[in-house]
């Protein structure tokens, strides 16, 4: 071309450079390409107009999604939108790779983008060459996608602000990793520093509590919601001369300040600083922007969870009581561990209530549900139980009144709720709730216990020799189901050296266990606690409570929150009542000690015969001969039934196990106040009774009848067979 001749047109120049020109109007949904751009797209080399769907069909799906993400970012930052695009043929193979560069603009009225840009083919290394192998090994697309996937997963799993900051501090970005990070927050009209990485403690104090009006990149990002990229110290000094003296001491060469935006609101800024120059290419900006979005979401989630935990702790402090002063002759320990779902509050609770008689009551229960409503009902029910107990009612009356109270709270309110049928548009009434509960009245002088139970798990007893049994007790329906339900009372004595455990089902069933396997797990923990750790010593009961919680979930405190609570499947409430014995220690904890227990069955309580059978089976849970256990259970059932059928008296069952494992003796006595002595009968084949003593004589190693001053006692003995 000679000097003075007119310059060729833009189209001619671009065609000579194998560069295509295109125009995309998202409002019309049309893409116009010139001949060179059409050729690069795999179309005939002539200018044409395509729909968005036709254009999208020529591109790799991943690259199309990348384009739609890069364009808004370029508009927000006022930069070019640059991206590599794989062109696909009709068979789905990669035809070529092109680089797209465009200048997008946004029309807020139409809510549409308009882009004018270029396409240019990217020369890829020949297959099998060293350059090709290097390109494959360091493929920017794969490394970036892998990095973002790992970063997203790690940030999603972070449960607190501290964990989020640790994750961000450990990120290694593909090809460019910052060595200094700062997360800025906002309080009022000032910046705050939420966390930092790569700086000495206190080094960033000059930037904390800085007014948002300051000429500082992080303040500008918070004000405008747009990122700031500074590729060199000279650029930083030119744009922010007022704060450059504060930044230059750190020796950094490049900086990126990214907005932390959630739901359209800029909640802070994230600074990534580099000790080497960074050009901040569109690819690098895309990575930084994506990390900033994930960081903002993670911080928002963590902040919400921390606020929920604070609310939880407040609810716990207001709803859960302290155990009060020490009780002479007895010790009490308690734990409450919330669930990990929602606000981490639920319906489990415990309480200790001083009574007018000088005794005290232990209460443990679980309101159905793991939400704020369950926690609210729990608080109301706990107050009602305290009121009924303080009036001096017996355990059965306390639970009967509490059941009517809860039934009225959940059913009467539902029946009068304005959202019933016929009132369209109003909220539906809440579903009725019920609660399980166990109420135990204790005499600290004698160790006498009176227990009423409403659908709650049975208590467990750790005997003086370390043996653990489940103590069956009479019970009724859960509270709130039937306002006229009865709750029979079970009476027994907590002997010196024994400990009673009360808990909610969360302690038993957490970890994939059912009631049976979960109870076996707790039994093992209770039995293994000793003799080196005596639970009847001054702090032994507290240690045992911690051991039980740790055995199920890991370390705990009196009111556990945080990562441990986050793993809870259900609330847990635990109460331990111990009655220390004189001289209790290693000598008493030997397995050769006698285990002894009492159970009374009244004439009007025939259903408690099943309770007696279960009680004896629990007492013999470690007996080596299963057939002997079945025989003992059968004989106990026959003897107690004989008293209730043939006398007008109540039956008192005494079961005692003594001796070394493998050679122990079981002695069972059933005492009543009747005068008639039992005698063997010879029933016919069709007789429905009369075989009790025949069974005793057949299955027991020894048996007899001992007259008493008033009444009699029939007994039998079994000697353990060891295999």
């Amino acid at each position: 071309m000679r000097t003075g001749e007119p310059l060729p047109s833009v189209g001619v120049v671009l065609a000579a450079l194998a560069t295509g020109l295109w125009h995309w109007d998202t409002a019309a949904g049309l893409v116009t390409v010139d001949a060179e751009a059409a050729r690069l797209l795999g179309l005939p080399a002539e200018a044409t107009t395509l729909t968005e769907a036709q254009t999208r069909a020529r591109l790799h799906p991943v690259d199309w999604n990348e384009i739609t993400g890069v364009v808004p970012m370029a508009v927000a930052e006022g930069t070019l939108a640059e991206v590599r695009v794989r062109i696909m043929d009709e068979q789905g193979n990669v035809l070529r790779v092109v680089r797209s560069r465009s200048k997008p603009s946004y029309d807020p009225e139409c809510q549409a983008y308009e882009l004018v840009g270029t396409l240019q083919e990217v020369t890829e290394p020949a297959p099998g060459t060293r350059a090709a192998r290097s390109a494959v090994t360091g493929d920017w697309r794969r490394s970036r996608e892998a990095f973002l996937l790992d970063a997203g997963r790690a940030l999603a799993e972070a449960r607190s602000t501290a964990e989020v900051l640790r994750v961000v501090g450990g990120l290694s970005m593909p090809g460019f990793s910052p060595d200094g990070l700062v997360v800025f927050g906002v309080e009022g009209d000032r910046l705050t520093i939420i966390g930092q990485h790569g700086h000495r403690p206190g080094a960033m104090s000059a930037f904390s509590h800085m007014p948002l009006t300051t000429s500082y990149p992080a303040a500008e990002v918070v004000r405008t919601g747009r990122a700031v990229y500074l590729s060199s110290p000279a650029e930083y000094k030119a744009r922010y001369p007022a704060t450059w003296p504060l930044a230059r001491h750190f020796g950094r060469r490049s900086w990126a300040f990214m907005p932390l935006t959630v739901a359209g609101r800029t909640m802070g800024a994230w600074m990534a600083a580099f000790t080497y120059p960074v050009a901040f290419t569109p690819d690098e900006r895309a990575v930084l922007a994506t990390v900033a979005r994930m960081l903002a979401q993670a911080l928002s989630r963590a902040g919400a969870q921390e606020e929920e935990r604070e609310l939880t702790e407040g609810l716990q402090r207001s709803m859960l009581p302290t155990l009060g002063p020490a009780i002479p002759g007895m010790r009490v320990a308690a734990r409450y561990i919330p669930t990990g779902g929602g606000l981490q509050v639920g319906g489990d609770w415990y309480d200790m209530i001083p009574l007018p008689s000088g005794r005290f009551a232990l209460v443990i229960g679980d309101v159905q549900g793991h939400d704020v409503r369950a926690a609210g009902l729990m608080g109301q029910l706990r107050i009602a139980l305290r009121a009924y107990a303080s009036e001096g009612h017996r355990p059965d009356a306390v639970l009967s009144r509490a059941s009517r109270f809860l039934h009225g709270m959940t059913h009467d309110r539902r029946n009068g709720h304005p959202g019933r049928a016929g009132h369209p548009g109003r909220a539906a009434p809440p579903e009725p709730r019920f609660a399980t509960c166990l109420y135990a009245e204790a005499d600290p002088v004698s160790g006498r216990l009176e227990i009423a139970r409403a659908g709650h798990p049975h208590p467990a007893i750790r005997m003086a020799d370390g043996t653990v049994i489940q103590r069956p007790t009479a019970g009724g329906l859960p509270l709130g189901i039937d306002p006229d339900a009865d709750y029979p009372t079970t009476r027994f004595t907590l002997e010196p050296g024994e400990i009673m455990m009360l808990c909610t089902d969360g302690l038993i069933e957490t970890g994939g266990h059912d009631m049976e396997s979960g109870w076996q797990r707790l039994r093992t923990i209770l039995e293994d606690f000793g003799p080196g750790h005596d639970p009847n010593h001054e702090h032994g009961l507290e240690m045992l409570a911690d051991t039980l919680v740790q055995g199920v979930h890991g370390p705990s405190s009196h009111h556990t929150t945080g990562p441990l609570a986050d793993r809870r499947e259900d609330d847990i409430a635990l109460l331990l009542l111990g009655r220390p014995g004189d001289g209790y220690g290693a000598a008493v904890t030997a397995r050769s000690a006698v285990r002894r227990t009492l159970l009374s069955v009244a004439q009007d309580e025939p259903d408690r015969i099943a309770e007696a059978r279960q009680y004896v089976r629990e007492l013999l849970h470690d007996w080596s001969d299963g057939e002997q256990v079945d025989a003992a259970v059968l004989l106990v059932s026959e003897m107690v039934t004989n008293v209730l059928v043939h006398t007008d008296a109540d039956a008192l069952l005494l079961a005692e196990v003594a001796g070394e494992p493998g050679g122990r003796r079981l002695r069972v006595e059933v005492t009543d106040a009747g005068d008639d002595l039992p005698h063997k009968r010879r029933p016919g084949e069709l007789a429905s009774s009369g075989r009790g003593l025949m069974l005793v004589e057949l299955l027991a190693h020894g048996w007899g009848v001992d007259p008493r001053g008033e009444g009699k006692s029939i007994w039998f003995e079994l000697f353990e067979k060891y295999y």
Side-chain angles (χ1 to χ4, degrees):
M1 184 173 67
R2 294 184 178 85
T3 304
E5 291 184 355
L7 292 173
S9 65
V10 174
V12 173
V13 173
L14 293 177
L17 298 175
T19 302
L21 187 65
W22 57 274
H23 173 264
W24 180 16
D25 183 359
T26 62
L30 298 176
V31 179
T32 302
V33 296
D34 65 4
E36 182 62 20
R39 184 190 69 80
L40 292 174
L41 290 175
L43 299 171
E46 56 186 30
T48 186
T49 299
L50 307 171
T51 65
E52 287 184 0
Q54 291 173 324
T55 307
R56 184 172 184 174
R58 312 302 303 177
L59 310 183
H60 193 286
V62 173
D63 299 343
W64 175 267
N65 293 335
E66 185 169 355
I67 291 172
T68 58
V70 168
V71 168
M73 183 179 69
V75 171
E77 298 175 357
T79 60
L80 294 178
E82 183 174 345
V83 64
R84 289 192 181 192
V85 181
R86 287 165 287 185
I87 307 301
M88 313 299 292
D89 61 17
E90 287 77 4
Q91 289 73 39
N93 301 315
V94 177
L95 184 64
R96 61 176 56 88
V97 179
V98 300
R99 177 185 289 109
S100 168
R101 303 187 71 190
S102 63
K103 179 64 176 178
S105 61
Y106 180 69
D107 185 350
E109 293 185 3
C110 300
Q111 295 185 349
Y113 294 94
E114 184 175 4
L115 298 90
V116 176
T118 61
L119 287 182
Q120 189 173 33
E121 185 169 3
V122 178
T123 303
E124 299 290 343
T129 64
R130 181 176 179 181
R133 289 192 296 270
S134 298
V136 171
T137 316
D139 181 81
W140 63 272
R141 194 186 304 275
R142 293 180 183 175
S143 61
R144 185 184 66 178
E145 291 175 354
F147 162 74
L148 292 176
L149 183 63
D150 292 340
R153 184 184 299 112
L155 288 170
E157 293 174 354
R159 299 299 186 95
S160 66
T161 300
E163 288 184 31
V164 172
L165 296 175
R166 282 197 297 271
V167 170
V168 173
L171 293 180
S172 179
M173 299 184 188
F176 68 114
S177 292
D179 72 317
L181 301 172
V182 179
V183 177
F184 294 94
V186 179
E187 284 187 5
D189 60 350
R190 293 181 178 271
L191 287 177
T192 62
I193 294 180
I194 299 175
Q196 59 89 24
H197 175 75
H199 303 93
R200 296 188 309 275
M204 297 297 297
S205 59
F207 300 94
S208 183
H209 300 289
M210 181 179 286
L212 293 179
T213 56
T214 305
S215 178
Y216 179 62
E220 180 179 319
V221 167
V222 172
R223 292 196 309 267
T224 65
R226 298 177 61 175
V228 172
Y229 301 99
L230 304 170
S231 299
S232 65
E235 185 178 0
Y236 195 128
K237 182 178 180 180
R239 292 182 61 180
Y240 304 97
T243 52
W244 166 244
L246 298 175
R248 68 180 179 182
H249 300 293
F250 294 95
R252 304 280 163 57
R253 304 294 302 278
S254 299
W255 300 260
F257 291 84
M258 310 300 300
L260 299 177
T261 305
V262 176
R265 182 179 67 88
T266 302
M267 54 181 287
W270 170 48
M271 182 195 80
F274 304 82
T275 54
Y276 55 90
V278 178
F280 297 116
T281 65
D283 290 337
E284 292 168 342
R285 295 188 182 197
V287 171
L288 289 168
T290 303
V291 173
R293 287 194 295 269
M294 293 190 297
L295 173 58
Q297 293 168 358
L299 288 173
S300 179
R301 286 193 304 268
Q305 291 177 355
E306 288 167 353
E307 290 178 359
E308 290 171 355
R309 280 194 287 270
E310 291 179 4
L311 175 59
T312 297
E313 292 175 358
L315 285 171
Q316 292 169 13
R317 286 192 294 268
S318 65
M319 293 183 175
L320 289 178
T322 58
L323 292 180
I327 303 167
M330 285 189 168
R331 293 194 179 100
V332 181
R335 297 290 184 271
Y336 172 71
I337 302 94
T339 181
L343 290 178
Q344 297 184 352
V345 295
D348 290 25
W349 88 97
Y350 65 81
D351 205 351
M352 187 176 78
I353 308 169
L355 301 177
S357 61
R359 300 181 177 186
F360 68 94
L362 293 178
V363 187
I364 192 166
D366 181 3
V367 175
Q368 175 194 10
H370 306 110
D371 51 22
V372 174
R373 182 166 178 251
L377 287 174
M378 175 268 286
Q380 293 172 300
L381 184 58
R382 184 174 68 85
I383 293 172
L385 282 162
R386 272 188 160 263
Y388 298 141
S390 299
E391 289 175 355
H393 297 293
R394 307 303 299 170
D396 56 340
V398 170
L399 290 192
S400 295
R401 286 167 167 76
S403 184
R404 284 194 292 272
F405 170 82
L406 185 58
H407 186 275
M409 286 289 298
T410 59
H411 288 74
D412 294 350
R413 181 177 296 178
R414 177 181 174 83
N415 293 338
H417 197 280
R420 299 181 65 200
H423 296 268
R426 296 185 180 179
E431 291 297 324
R433 300 283 182 106
F434 63 84
T436 66
C437 183
L438 188 147
Y439 181 98
E441 184 176 313
D443 182 355
V445 177
S446 65
R448 186 77 170 172
L449 298 172
E450 297 185 30
I451 295 179
R453 188 172 58 86
H456 202 79
H458 295 284
I461 304 294
R462 187 184 193 272
M463 296 182 169
D465 69 337
T467 300
V468 177
I469 66 170
Q470 199 172 47
R471 181 58 165 89
T473 54
L477 293 171
L479 305 178
I481 293 180
D482 181 0
D484 300 319
D486 293 325
Y487 297 95
T489 301
T490 299
R491 299 173 180 84
F492 63 90
T493 299
L494 192 67
E495 301 292 342
E498 292 185 343
I499 295 170
M500 180 175 69
M501 181 189 78
L502 308 177
C503 68
T504 54
D505 56 3
L507 186 69
I508 303 174
E509 295 183 325
T510 296
H513 287 271
D514 56 21
M515 291 297 287
E516 182 176 353
S517 64
W519 161 239
Q520 293 301 327
R521 174 179 58 174
L522 292 179
R523 169 180 271 159
T524 300
I525 296 172
L526 287 165
E527 289 185 339
D528 289 346
F529 191 84
H533 303 88
D534 182 358
N536 286 279
H537 285 166
E538 183 177 358
H539 302 294
L541 212 61
E542 296 291 338
M543 294 173 59
L544 178 56
D546 286 334
T547 301
L548 285 165
V549 174
Q550 292 169 12
V552 175
H553 279 298
S556 75
S557 62
H558 294 274
H559 303 295
T560 302
T561 56
L564 172 64
D566 291 341
R567 296 194 297 269
R568 303 292 177 216
E569 299 169 28
D570 195 0
D571 295 20
I572 290 176
L574 169 68
L575 271 174
L576 297 176
L577 175 66
R579 189 181 179 202
D582 296 335
Y584 183 81
V588 181
T589 60
R591 293 294 182 188
S592 60
V594 175
R595 38 174 120 152
R596 179 186 298 110
T597 188
L598 286 168
L599 180 69
S600 62
V601 181
Q603 279 285 328
D604 59 350
E605 298 176 330
D607 54 333
R608 296 196 66 189
I609 296 175
E611 187 179 312
R613 290 195 297 265
Q614 180 61 26
Y615 198 23
V616 172
R617 191 174 293 278
E618 280 288 324
L619 194 68
L620 301 177
H621 73 274
D622 57 352
W623 197 268
S624 60
D625 188 344
E627 292 184 358
Q628 284 187 324
V629 175
D630 293 336
V633 171
L634 175 61
L635 296 183
V636 166
S637 182
E638 287 290 336
M639 292 165 61
V640 175
T641 301
N642 187 68
V643 172
L644 299 186
V645 171
H646 297 291
T647 73
D648 295 329
D650 298 340
L652 179 65
L653 170 67
L654 170 64
E656 179 181 280
V657 177
E660 297 288 344
R664 291 174 290 190
R665 181 202 67 179
L666 167 68
R667 181 181 176 88
V668 176
E669 294 184 8
V670 176
T671 304
D672 66 83
D675 296 329
D676 296 334
L677 297 180
H679 58 277
K680 287 194 294 182
R681 299 163 60 187
R682 299 187 179 277
E685 293 183 3
L686 300 179
S688 60
S689 62
R691 297 182 177 84
L693 291 184
M694 294 177 62
L695 289 172
V696 173
E697 187 175 54
L698 178 65
L699 299 176
H701 292 127
W703 71 281
V705 179
D706 295 335
R708 300 293 174 89
E710 290 185 2
K712 60 187 178 298
S713 175
I714 181 171
W715 57 271
F716 74 85
E717 292 181 342
L718 286 175
F719 294 92
E720 185 178 22
K721 297 177 183 178
Y722 183 72
Y723 298 96

